[in-house]
Amino acid sequence: MSKEMEINSSEEERKAHSMTLYIPLGEGRSTFNLENAVCNHGFFMMAPNVWIPSTKTLQRPLRLADSSTSILTSISHPHNENSIHVHLHHTEYVSPKDQQVILDQVARMLRLSDRDEMDVKHFHQLQPKAKTMRFGRIFRSPSIFEDMVKSILLCNCTWRRTLDMAQALCELQFELKDHKRGRMTGDSINRSKTKINVDEELEYYSLGNFPNSMELNVLDEETLRNDCNLGYRAKIIIELARSIQNGEFPLNKFGKALPLDAKSMPKIYKMLNKKRGFGPFACANVLMCIGYYERIPTDTETFRHIKETLELCEYYQLKFGKLSELPRSKYHTITGSYKLCTSIPK
């Protein structure tokens, strides 16, 4: 699927200090629905993602090419349009290189590659009802690192705590963004919080992206554990970030150097499973985000629904209403069991 971009440089946008990029859907127009592509997986509820039901818009910061600068972005698909609209707030100009980096992140989140389109069509052959609903893309993060950390945040805790930990990490990222050198401790972090009113029809947004491995690499374990209430996960996440930064863990192989085929999947699973904290559930969840669907991420919540012979999406819709229309204040209620228990971390 083509990701050629265009720039909207209308007078209105220049006055509003913003610009819009576009991702043509091409053949994917017949299978794509933004609401379904986003609101199908718990990751869409986790910070820094903000789904706005009234406008069917996904809002979050996305990184520029330097990997440290972020820009607030709103992603929408207006009715009868053949392109995804990627609206960049508070900027009049973004370099062509940065534009492509932003579009690549959006394409990853919404699974807009040719390979993803093939997977969706194959799934629709198996599930004709999904084709009618334009359902089949599983939402993921702009980066595999964010997917990996969020998979750890899902383990052995309530859904409310998972949401709180993700939010705390994003708030910490905002506090850290001016500290680019040296190892940071709790005493050296600026505790100021800033919120801006992005648009009248959008919610107040707390400035802060999900931290990347470079940003987490300057932290110590104690700071991450105490400031974000991560518990044992702090050690896992710090070790992951450091192994990526020092080249020990080849993150670039995930879905890039290795082809998405049955032979590569066991290799990647083995690489993941060697990392502290990545048991069967976390590994399967990361594999699903990469594009391998042979291993299903299962926890006690999944088994409970299988025993009740109910489909997960239908169950949640019946119990809580349409997920895409749920206010953010109710996200923590989206679980049928008190605790999502997975294997004990290594």
Side-chain angles (χ1 to χ4, degrees):
M1 185 179 298
S2 174
K3 298 198 292 290
E4 295 178 0
M5 59 188 173
E6 303 172 14
I7 304 175
N8 185 332
S9 57
S10 67
E11 184 65 24
E12 291 79 6
E13 286 198 310
R14 284 196 293 271
K15 289 179 180 178
H17 302 289
S18 63
M19 64 186 298
T20 301
L21 310 179
Y22 299 91
I23 303 181
L25 287 171
E27 295 182 2
R29 179 69 182 88
S30 62
T31 65
F32 186 82
N33 177 284
L34 180 63
E35 185 175 5
N36 290 340
V38 174
C39 305
N40 59 64
H41 188 234
F43 277 10
F44 94 89
M45 299 182 185
M46 297 173 70
N49 300 310
V50 176
W51 174 255
I52 303 165
S54 60
T55 58
K56 290 181 169 47
T57 300
L58 175 66
Q59 184 187 21
R60 66 162 290 157
L62 293 175
R63 295 192 181 265
L64 302 185
D66 63 8
S67 298
S68 60
T69 308
S70 296
I71 187 167
L72 190 60
T73 307
S74 293
I75 304 163
S76 62
H77 183 208
H79 185 61
N80 290 330
E81 289 278 347
N82 293 321
S83 299
I84 301 295
H85 291 206
V86 183
H87 189 72
L88 312 181
H89 295 274
H90 310 295
T91 184
E92 294 180 346
Y93 175 78
V94 173
S95 72
K97 183 178 181 180
D98 287 330
Q99 292 172 24
Q100 190 58 58
V101 169
I102 290 168
L103 293 177
D104 288 344
Q105 291 172 84
V106 175
R108 186 180 192 278
M109 286 190 292
L110 303 181
R111 297 187 188 258
L112 297 177
S113 70
D114 292 335
R115 170 58 191 260
D116 290 317
E117 184 63 22
M118 289 176 56
D119 288 342
V120 170
K121 289 182 176 178
H122 179 63
F123 177 64
H124 286 173
Q125 291 176 354
L126 300 174
Q127 296 288 339
K129 183 179 178 181
K131 181 178 181 180
T132 302
M133 298 169 59
R134 293 189 179 183
F135 179 85
R137 289 174 167 83
I138 300 178
F139 183 72
R140 57 185 173 181
S141 305
S143 71
I144 183 62
F145 179 75
E146 184 173 328
D147 284 334
M148 292 179 72
V149 174
K150 285 185 172 178
S151 294
I152 292 298
L153 299 185
L154 291 171
C155 296
N156 302 308
C157 64
T158 63
W159 178 233
R160 180 193 288 271
R161 185 176 177 190
T162 292
L163 295 175
D164 289 344
M165 289 188 291
Q167 179 67 30
L169 282 168
C170 294
E171 292 174 353
L172 182 62
Q173 190 274 341
F174 171 66
E175 296 165 359
L176 288 170
K177 65 180 183 179
D178 291 329
H179 299 92
K180 296 182 179 179
R181 295 184 180 180
R183 195 161 302 283
M184 295 291 105
T185 64
D187 294 336
S188 60
I189 296 174
N190 178 12
R191 296 297 168 195
S192 62
K193 297 286 197 302
T194 299
K195 290 190 177 183
I196 59 171
N197 190 356
V198 176
D199 194 294
E200 289 183 359
E201 66 180 9
L202 301 185
E203 299 185 16
Y204 276 79
Y205 195 92
S206 179
L207 288 178
N209 203 344
F210 199 86
N212 59 22
S213 59
M214 179 176 63
E215 291 163 336
L216 290 175
N217 188 49
V218 304
L219 293 174
D220 59 31
E221 179 186 336
E222 182 179 359
T223 299
L224 198 60
R225 183 191 301 112
N226 295 339
D227 288 33
C228 300
N229 192 28
L230 296 188
Y232 74 87
R233 300 165 194 81
K235 184 177 182 65
I236 295 170
I237 293 170
I238 288 293
E239 287 183 354
L240 175 63
R242 291 177 183 169
S243 67
I244 291 170
Q245 288 302 113
N246 64 26
E248 176 189 335
F249 190 64
L251 197 64
N252 62 335
K253 287 188 176 182
F254 286 64
K256 292 184 178 181
L258 292 175
L260 290 174
D261 56 32
K263 293 182 179 179
S264 297
M265 193 271 287
K267 297 178 183 178
I268 294 182
Y269 183 91
K270 186 175 180 180
M271 289 170 60
L272 283 169
N273 195 231
K274 287 181 179 179
K275 301 299 296 179
R276 181 193 298 269
F278 284 86
F281 171 79
C283 287
N285 206 63
V286 174
L287 287 172
M288 179 185 69
C289 291
I290 294 172
Y292 296 99
Y293 305 103
E294 287 82 358
R295 290 177 179 264
I296 300 174
T298 55
D299 49 32
T300 53
E301 180 82 338
T302 310
F303 286 120
R304 190 177 65 81
H305 287 295
I306 291 174
K307 290 178 181 179
E308 295 173 358
T309 65
L310 289 172
E311 297 202 16
L312 285 171
C313 287
E314 290 183 354
Y315 170 82
Y316 288 133
Q317 303 277 20
L318 287 172
K319 184 172 182 179
F320 302 103
K322 198 171 184 180
L323 295 185
S324 62
E325 297 176 358
L326 196 73
R328 296 183 68 209
S329 60
K330 299 294 183 183
Y331 281 177
H332 68 278
T333 66
I334 306 303
T335 177
S337 59
Y338 177 73
K339 190 174 183 180
L340 301 185
C341 298
T342 61
S343 59
I344 298 174
K346 294 181 289 183

